[in-house]
Amino acid sequence: PLYPASMVIDIENFRAGLGIRKTELIASIESAADSAAPVELDQQVQGRLSRMDAIQGQAMAQATIERRRVEISQIDAAFRRMKEGEFGYCVACGEEIAAKRLELNPAIARCIVCAG
């Protein structure tokens, strides 16, 4: 694969880092499943305010899980770009993505100009 010259050395580090992050995200989703479970609405079990807190906690947990799923999708797309030799290039304009930008988020798909 043809990668930007600045990344030939780092591509395996990016791949390893993304793999570790994906594993962490999957584990985090699995551990958060209980928090995102439906809230029991039986008033005999808990009061109205406690239910409201539980529902709010459930909504936050579901939103967090969804963000983690999106990040996993972005990581999978980065793996595909690596396989196809397109990693490190903007998917919109084809220009090289700055190395510092990739260091901050190796799954990033757009250069700073196209992301803006």
Side-chain angles (χ1 to χ4, degrees), residues 60-111:
M60 289 176 10
Q62 289 172 339
T64 298
I65 288 171
E66 182 56 28
R67 281 192 307 274
R68 290 175 180 153
R69 286 185 177 141
V70 167
E71 188 175 348
I72 289 170
S73 295
Q74 292 168 340
I75 290 170
D76 288 340
F79 284 144
R80 282 191 298 279
R81 289 192 304 278
M82 287 177 182
K83 184 177 181 181
E84 296 165 359
E86 298 293 328
F87 181 79
Y89 293 100
C90 178
V91 296
C93 71
E95 292 296 315
E96 188 173 331
I97 298 172
K100 289 283 187 193
R101 185 165 169 77
L102 285 169
E103 288 170 13
L104 290 172
N105 182 0
I108 204 79
R110 295 178 185 265
C111 69

Side-chain angles (χ1 to χ4, degrees), residues 14 19-20 39 85 100:
F14 284 129
I20 290 167
V39 175
K100 289 283 187 193

Side-chain angles (χ1 to χ4, degrees), residues 39-58:
V39 175
E40 177 67 42
L41 296 179
D42 184 359
Q43 285 191 0
Q44 302 301 322
V45 175
Q46 59 187 196
R48 185 172 62 95
L49 291 178
S50 294
R51 279 195 325 279
M52 289 173 57
D53 287 342
I55 290 169
Q56 183 179 18
Q58 174 198 29

Side-chain angles (χ1 to χ4, degrees), residues 6-22:
S6 62
M7 286 193 293
V8 173
I9 297 169
D10 295 325
I11 193 76
E12 290 307 318
N13 288 335
F14 284 129
R15 188 185 321 271
L18 286 170
I20 290 167
R21 180 65 180 151
K22 182 176 178 179

